[in-house]
Amino acid sequence: MRGFRWPPPPDGGPRTWGPGPGAPRTGRPALPEPETDLVTTPHGVRLERLVTGAGDPVTVFAHGLGNGIATTRPFGSGVTGRRVFFQFRGHGRSDAPPGSWDYADLARDLRAVADLEGAGRAFGASLGAGALCRLLVESPERFDRLVFFLPAVLDRPRGEVARQRLTALLEAVQSGDASAVAEVVSVELPPAVRNTPAGWAYLRQRLDQLLRDGLASGLASLPEQVAVPSTDALAAVTAPALVIGCAGDDLHPVEVAEQLAAALPAATLHVYDRPGVLWSERADLRTRISSFLNE
């Protein structure tokens, strides 16, 4: 693979630099950011929110660590009814209360948004999947349909790779150096997509958001924490669930997805055979999620 470079070429992507003609050259996994609003929750934390669609059912979407509404919206593109996206504390324009936070705090954010919007279904990606698990331990019957995408943590802390990645991202964002942030964020891209117009478009959007809104230091301790004390408590969750994992993903070990699917009584597990599914399996992923939630 040829090396990543920043700033990007003036035309948004290489013509003779980077992957060859067979590499992806169009599309991106994140949609442009629309107007959002701030909603005050019962626990006093204002959270950034976006509501799209209309009618029932209502589905709430919880994003991953260091991500947000823009990177979560594609998961709901085929889902019927009202779709509610939000930013956890410390992300985007949401409040960042002082001190460090745990998954109980994130579960409180998720519950507040779901309750305010009357959401009966929930989707959680990575960090959001962990927050959703924590909410379900406390209220196993809260939702009637569930999707977990690339769960990263259950009853064991995340690995050293995740800790190093988050530390590097926080330090880069706090430095305000676009090149440093780009170097860290570029690791999110599959090798075949880096240094392509699609890759640059994704990087530009992520950098715009991260350098504009930042990431709160209260997120730094999350990789050292567990989402649930024990997966045994998830046995009380009777709602149908779809668990999506991916082989070869260092940040989201497939074993976590397998463990979660085994812990949920009515879960279906699907495992993709390589990382970067938002790029390589985008259509299948969206169809799989929407078909499950629209039943």
Side-chain angles (χ1 to χ4, degrees):
M1 188 194 109
R2 300 186 185 181
F4 169 79
R5 57 173 177 160
W6 186 264
D11 61 354
R15 291 298 173 264
T16 58
W17 175 278
R25 301 195 65 85
T26 59
R28 59 182 175 182
L31 300 174
E33 296 183 63
E35 286 291 328
T36 60
D37 65 349
L38 289 173
V39 58
T40 300
T41 65
H43 56 287
V45 178
R46 295 184 310 160
L47 300 174
E48 186 177 5
R49 176 191 61 177
L50 171 70
V51 180
T52 64
D56 293 323
V58 181
T59 308
V60 62
F61 292 79
H63 63 81
L65 184 59
N67 286 279
I69 292 172
T71 52
T72 313
R73 285 182 65 206
F75 297 114
S77 59
V79 177
T80 57
R82 196 146 41 99
R83 300 174 294 277
V84 183
F85 307 90
F86 75 102
Q87 309 264 39
F88 280 114
R89 61 183 62 201
H91 294 79
R93 296 195 294 136
S94 293
D95 286 347
S100 59
W101 313 313
D102 57 22
Y103 278 89
D105 294 313
L106 301 179
R108 193 173 295 115
D109 290 349
L110 173 55
R111 181 195 295 274
V113 174
D115 288 351
L116 287 169
E117 297 296 335
R121 301 182 176 189
F123 169 98
S126 190
L127 176 82
L132 180 54
C133 286
R134 181 57 177 262
L135 190 161
L136 292 170
V137 166
E138 301 167 358
S139 303
E141 298 179 355
R142 174 59 185 80
F143 297 104
D144 54 34
R145 215 158 187 85
L146 304 158
V147 176
F148 302 86
F149 177 66
L150 300 183
V153 60
L154 290 172
D155 55 358
R156 297 180 182 178
R158 299 182 72 171
E160 186 60 27
V161 172
R163 296 174 191 169
Q164 292 177 354
R165 186 84 63 84
L166 176 60
T167 298
L169 179 60
L170 286 172
E171 291 178 351
V173 171
Q174 290 170 0
S175 75
D177 184 345
S179 179
V181 178
E183 288 288 348
V184 178
V185 174
S186 68
V187 181
E188 300 173 6
L189 298 169
V193 178
R194 298 173 194 172
N195 287 318
T196 68
W200 290 120
Y202 176 82
L203 274 177
R204 284 183 183 279
Q205 184 185 60
R206 290 280 281 131
L207 262 64
D208 286 346
Q209 187 270 315
L210 288 169
L211 293 174
R212 181 190 68 223
D213 300 324
L215 289 172
S217 58
L219 300 169
S221 63
L222 285 173
E224 301 172 3
Q225 302 181 34
V226 298
V228 298
S230 170
T231 57
D232 293 343
L234 295 173
V237 180
T238 58
L242 172 63
V243 181
I244 301 174
C246 182
D249 189 327
D250 292 336
L251 294 184
H252 311 93
V254 68
E255 293 80 11
V256 176
E258 293 169 343
Q259 183 185 8
L260 177 57
L264 295 168
T268 299
L269 174 66
H270 180 79
V271 176
Y272 288 98
D273 61 3
R274 57 176 176 168
V277 295
L278 267 174
W279 298 89
S280 61
E281 301 289 350
R282 180 185 176 100
D284 180 82
L285 178 63
R286 291 195 299 187
T287 299
R288 193 174 298 277
I289 291 170
S290 61
S291 296
F292 179 80
L293 288 174
N294 292 344
E295 286 184 16

